[in-house]
């Protein structure tokens, strides 16, 4: 069973994932885009045209899919395909996506959900709530942009294409120990649901003994 945190930047996902891993012994697998940008020879601080942005996101998804594949069956990571999809869709405006890219975007959406469903049993959305502090070398702590991304990802997790269990940490839950407890509770609920499904399959004869 593998677990992914989702949410906008600067919300403490990496700190939370590490703390959960330390408490439970689950392996922590950091997910990042820096290596992908370096491989492509591109600068993550540059605002590229949408077609370039789409290509970057496709490569990030491929790299992370390979990372999840080799990380085993039980780990927690600080980002998920829902994050990748949210960041791409946040860049969409009424006029900046050429019609010729519509099919590519739709395929990317499907690929993000397929990756999430393939590798994760549980996704947990980390919502805004903690105090935002600007730090050098990190994405700007712009509260409006963070709010926009958070609500977008909340909607993406409610999409019926996402088949794995998904939860959200309440906004009022801001202390690290509270957040670790919330993730642990989500994992327990997911495990309980999985066990119930397996029992139901046994009862209907869908699982061979």
């Amino acid at each position: 069973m593998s677990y992914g945190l989702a949410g906008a930047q600067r919300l403490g996902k990496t700190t939370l994932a590490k703390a959960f891993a330390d408490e439970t012994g689950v392996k922590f697998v950091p997910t990042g885009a820096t290596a992908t940008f370096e491989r492509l020879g591109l600068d993550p601080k540059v605002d590229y045209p949408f077609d370039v942005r789409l290509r970057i996101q496709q490569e990030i998804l491929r790299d992370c899919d390979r990372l999840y594949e080799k990380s085993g069956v039980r780990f927690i990571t600080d980002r998920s395909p829902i994050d990748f999809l949210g960041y791409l869709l946040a860049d969409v405006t009424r006029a900046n996506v050429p019609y010729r890219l519509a099919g590519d975007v739709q395929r990317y959406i499907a690929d993000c959900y397929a990756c999430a469903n393939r590798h994760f049993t549980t996704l947990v959305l980390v919502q805004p709530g903690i105090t935002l502090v600007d730090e050098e070398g990190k994405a700007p702590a712009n509260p409006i942009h963070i709010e926009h991304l958070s609500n977008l990802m909340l909607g993406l997790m409610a999409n019926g294409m996402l088949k794995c269990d998904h939860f959200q940490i309440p906004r009022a839950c801001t202390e690290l120990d509270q957040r670790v407890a919330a993730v642990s509770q989500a994992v327990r609920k997911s495990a309980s649901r999985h066990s119930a499904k397996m029992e139901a399959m046994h009862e209907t004869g869908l699982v061979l003994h």
Side-chain angles (χ1 to χ4, degrees):
M1 299 179 72
S2 297
Y3 322 119
L5 300 183
Q9 74 268 20
R10 310 305 304 279
L11 297 183
K13 298 190 301 299
T14 300
T15 299
L16 174 56
K18 288 179 178 178
F20 177 84
D22 289 342
E23 182 167 303
T24 62
V26 173
K27 179 169 63 174
F28 168 58
V29 175
T31 299
T34 301
T36 305
F37 275 95
E38 290 178 352
R39 177 170 62 79
L40 296 174
L42 299 174
D43 185 347
K45 296 180 181 179
V46 173
D47 290 327
Y48 292 103
F50 188 83
D51 58 340
V52 178
R53 178 76 165 136
L54 174 60
R55 182 168 68 89
I56 293 170
Q57 290 301 115
Q58 289 169 331
E59 292 299 318
I60 291 172
L61 181 64
R62 289 191 187 100
D63 287 349
C64 288
D65 187 52
R66 297 187 189 104
L67 173 66
Y68 302 149
E69 188 68 38
K70 70 179 184 181
S71 294
V73 296
R74 192 165 185 260
F75 63 86
I76 185 168
T77 187
D78 51 352
R79 289 172 184 80
S80 78
I82 297 301
D83 297 68
F84 311 150
L85 182 53
Y87 277 101
L88 179 73
L89 294 182
D91 285 346
V92 173
T93 68
R94 187 167 59 179
N96 74 329
V97 182
Y99 182 76
R100 62 180 172 81
L101 291 179
D104 292 335
V105 174
Q106 290 295 338
R107 280 188 290 275
Y108 181 71
I109 292 171
D111 288 345
C112 284
Y113 280 114
C115 182
N117 294 332
R118 183 165 56 252
H119 294 294
F120 297 99
T121 55
T122 313
L123 292 182
V124 180
L125 180 70
V126 180
Q127 298 192 86
I130 65 172
T131 301
L132 299 175
V133 179
D134 278 312
E135 294 183 41
E136 183 150 359
K138 293 189 177 181
N142 184 325
I144 304 304
H145 187 231
I146 289 172
E147 190 68 37
H148 174 54
L149 285 167
S150 181
N151 281 282
L152 183 55
M153 292 176 192
L154 182 62
L156 291 172
M157 291 186 74
N159 188 306
M161 294 176 71
L162 185 64
K163 304 303 181 184
C164 61
D165 292 333
H166 49 279
F167 305 87
Q168 54 184 290
I169 297 178
R171 287 173 177 253
C173 187
T174 57
E175 298 298 326
L176 182 57
D177 59 343
Q178 294 176 326
R179 289 182 160 197
V180 171
V183 175
S184 297
Q185 183 179 27
V187 167
R188 287 194 298 270
K189 285 184 178 180
S190 186
S192 178
R193 289 178 184 177
H194 181 72
S195 296
K197 289 178 184 177
M198 293 300 294
E199 288 178 8
M201 292 175 69
H202 276 286
E203 291 174 359
T204 56
L206 294 177
V207 175
L208 296 177
H209 296 276

